Structure formats: structure tokens, C-alpha cells
């Protein structure tokens, strides 16, 4: 996703983990090869399934899913967070 402005993004992995990142902390690529920039660490077989702009209130307890360093694994959502996240995803779609 290309954006001219800095914004927070919410990432979801197939393993169920959620990570909220600020685009300002993602370093720019210094080479033109096809390798990307690592943002979210995954266990073998897990994949990034969604990435979208984060809006306050999208998920409860959002401080649990933020990190200061990248790449990061993210956190597994609590049951009450999942309900809020699913409602936010439905509204976003």
C-alpha cells in the first residue's frame, strides 16, 4: 500500500496475530531488488492476510498490538477484542 502521508496500519496474519504499526517507522528500501521490508515476523506457513488503515476504536485495547521496533510478531487478540475487530472489519468492507 502506497501512501504519501504517515498513518497507522493494522495488519492481520493467518495465525490470528494482529499488529498495529506507524508507517513512519518502516524504513525505505535502499536497493532496487525484489526483496521487501520485514514488518511482521511469522511462523512457518503463516501469511499476512490483511492490511488496512487503522482508525481509533477499531479494536479494543489497541495498545497491546503496537510495537516500537520492527519486525514484530504482534499479539493474539483477546475474545472481547475480536468482537470489536470483526465489527470494524465489517464496517470497513
Amino acid at each position: 500500500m502506497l501512501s504519501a502521508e504517515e498513518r497507522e496500519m493494522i495488519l492481520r496474519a493467518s495465525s490470528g496475530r494482529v499488529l498495529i504499526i506507524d508507517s513512519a517507522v518502516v524504513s525505505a528500501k535502499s536497493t532496487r531488488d525484489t526483496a521487501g521490508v520485514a514488518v511482521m515476523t511469522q511462523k512457518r506457513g503463516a501469511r499476512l492476510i490483511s492490511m488496512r488503515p487503522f482508525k481509533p476504536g477499531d479494536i479494543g485495547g489497541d495498545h497491546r498490538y503496537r510495537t516500537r521496533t520492527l519486525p514484530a510478531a504482534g499479539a493474539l487478540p483477546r475474545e472481547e477484542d475480536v468482537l470489536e475487530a470483526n465489527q470494524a472489519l465489517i464496517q470497513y468492507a
Side-chain angles (χ1 to χ4, degrees):
M1 176 180 262
L2 179 62
S3 176
E5 62 186 48
E6 294 177 0
R7 61 170 47 171
E8 288 187 313
M9 304 296 290
I10 185 167
L11 290 74
R12 290 185 40 205
S14 60
S15 62
R17 293 191 174 271
V18 175
L19 178 65
I20 299 173
I21 62 164
D22 187 343
S23 62
V25 299
V26 178
S27 60
K29 287 182 47 91
S30 59
T31 62
R32 294 177 51 130
D33 62 5
T34 58
V37 177
V39 175
M40 190 172 194
T41 56
Q42 303 284 340
K43 289 190 175 190
R44 182 177 292 267
R47 301 284 183 253
L48 183 66
I49 58 172
S50 70
M51 179 178 85
R52 63 180 179 81
F54 173 76
K55 294 179 288 193
D58 276 355
I59 189 167
D62 57 11
H63 64 279
R64 296 185 63 238
Y65 309 102
R66 297 179 193 281
T67 184
R68 294 177 192 240
T69 59
L70 294 178
L76 291 170
R78 297 178 301 196
E79 187 174 335
E80 58 269 17
D81 294 344
V82 172
L83 295 174
E84 292 180 33
N86 286 337
Q87 290 172 355
L89 287 174
I90 291 168
Q91 292 171 359
Y92 182 75

